Amino acid sequence: MIEIRNVSQRFAGPQGWIEALHNVNLTIPPGEVFGIIGRSGAGKSTLVRTINLLTRPTEGDIVVNARTLTSLSSADLREARREIGMIFQHFNLLSSRTVFDNVALPLELAGVKRAEIEATVLPLLELVGLTAQKDRYPSQISGGQKQRVGIARALASKPKVLLSDEATSALDPETTRAILDLLRKINRELNLTIVMITHQMEVIKQVCDRVAVLDAGRVVESGPVIDVFLQPRHEVTRALLGDVIAQELPPALKARVAEHLAKGSGHLLRLAFKGTGVDQPVLSETIRRFELDFNILHGQIDEIQGQAFGSLAVLAGGDPVKVAQAMAWLREQGVVVEELSHVE
């Protein structure tokens, strides 16, 4: 388990102190893939580097596997860091060493014998799909393969926690999906806790169990990924979700919907479903039960971690009292209902 307790981080700047993190509190259960997302400058990389104390927080404590890292001596901290692996955006491979030797590097630095190094590295290369490339140099392999080397190297010390700092940002979409599938496989097979730092909500959607949204060094929203997707509460979350779920109406519809709302004719609703609710006829039942007209403006059905979810923007017409009753009934059926007073 990882606990981030009341962590703040301040740096001296040319015009005074800069607060990169402010009173961050997070708990990450063992075996989970946990995402931390935010815009550039939100404090994501600073936060992930406090977990292994590459950046020591100005205030607060970091607890990893029941050890309070912020209170350890230098020697004990070095020992504790062996249980925390890290992969980076730009791979950080040594160009003069082969794939095998790059993965072996942390073991060599720890004084592990050659036979034991081979017994550790070869299975890791097989795990990440690089057995055939073990004697190649970084200049002879692709970007995705370089990141696989970085992942294998991070696993060489048999960590219990793996930190990923924008590990897929330099990769194309297809390679990104393959790397994320590999990380999920590693998470499941090794029961490894993974913390993913990213600015891409698509990464969160594909691989993470839960997510925390950072803005200006503060956690503004957190929870299970599917719940955050269905009911984003903060404007930053909504903006980030716009890359994978359409949060706005198509431009051609905006003016017409605005006219309806200005005349007081209709209620603009956003409906969100998950699980079995996606394939239930709740809309048709709502129309019959409350004698309403529903004009579907925009919608989609997708999947997160094997669980289906859907979202719809509808213009509901009819008796306002019945619209209110319909909204209450939909919520009873497990539908997330939000009435929008403006056209986004």
Side-chain angles (χ1 to χ4, degrees), residues 36-38 44 166 168-169 196-201 203-204:
I36 299 174
I37 190 168
K44 307 183 301 295
E166 298 278 10
T168 59
S169 295
M196 301 283 299
I197 298 296
T198 182
H199 64 275
Q200 300 169 299
M201 195 59 88
V203 170
I204 300 295

Side-chain angles (χ1 to χ4, degrees), residues 291-332:
E291 301 175 329
L292 300 177
D293 295 320
F294 272 7
N295 181 12
I296 297 176
L297 304 173
H298 198 272
Q300 71 180 95
I301 295 177
D302 211 326
E303 187 175 276
I304 294 177
Q305 301 295 306
Q307 188 171 10
F309 78 96
S311 62
L312 286 175
V314 303
L315 190 63
D319 183 342
V321 173
K322 290 189 175 182
V323 171
Q325 292 172 342
M327 291 170 62
W329 184 81
L330 283 166
R331 291 186 178 111
E332 291 174 1

Side-chain angles (χ1 to χ4, degrees), residues 90-101:
H90 297 296
F91 321 128
N92 291 0
L93 304 183
L94 296 178
S95 60
S96 60
R97 295 177 68 98
T98 64
V99 166
F100 180 99
D101 289 336

Side-chain angles (χ1 to χ4, degrees), residues 212-244:
V213 181
L214 236 61
D215 183 46
R218 291 168 165 81
V219 175
V220 296
E221 187 160 0
S222 65
V225 170
I226 194 163
D227 291 344
V228 172
F229 269 63
L230 284 173
Q231 199 169 13
R233 301 183 182 278
H234 195 275
E235 61 180 18
V236 170
T237 312
R238 291 181 183 274
L240 292 167
L241 280 171
D243 293 335
V244 292

Side-chain angles (χ1 to χ4, degrees), residues 14-84:
Q15 298 180 349
W17 289 96
I18 299 170
E19 190 169 43
L21 299 172
H22 178 77
N23 197 34
V24 173
N25 288 276
L26 290 172
T27 298
I28 302 171
E32 187 169 85
V33 181
F34 190 92
I36 299 174
I37 190 168
R39 296 165 171 155
S40 296
K44 307 183 301 295
S45 291
T46 301
L47 179 58
V48 76
R49 287 168 180 268
T50 65
I51 294 176
N52 59 4
L53 260 62
L54 288 179
T55 298
R56 183 174 287 272
T58 308
E59 296 173 1
D61 289 313
I62 302 292
V63 182
V64 179
N65 299 325
R67 302 180 77 179
T68 303
L69 302 192
T70 37
S71 65
L72 295 180
S73 66
S74 296
D76 288 340
L77 179 58
R78 284 194 296 272
E79 180 185 345
R81 280 179 175 153
R82 295 195 186 104
E83 296 186 345
I84 306 173

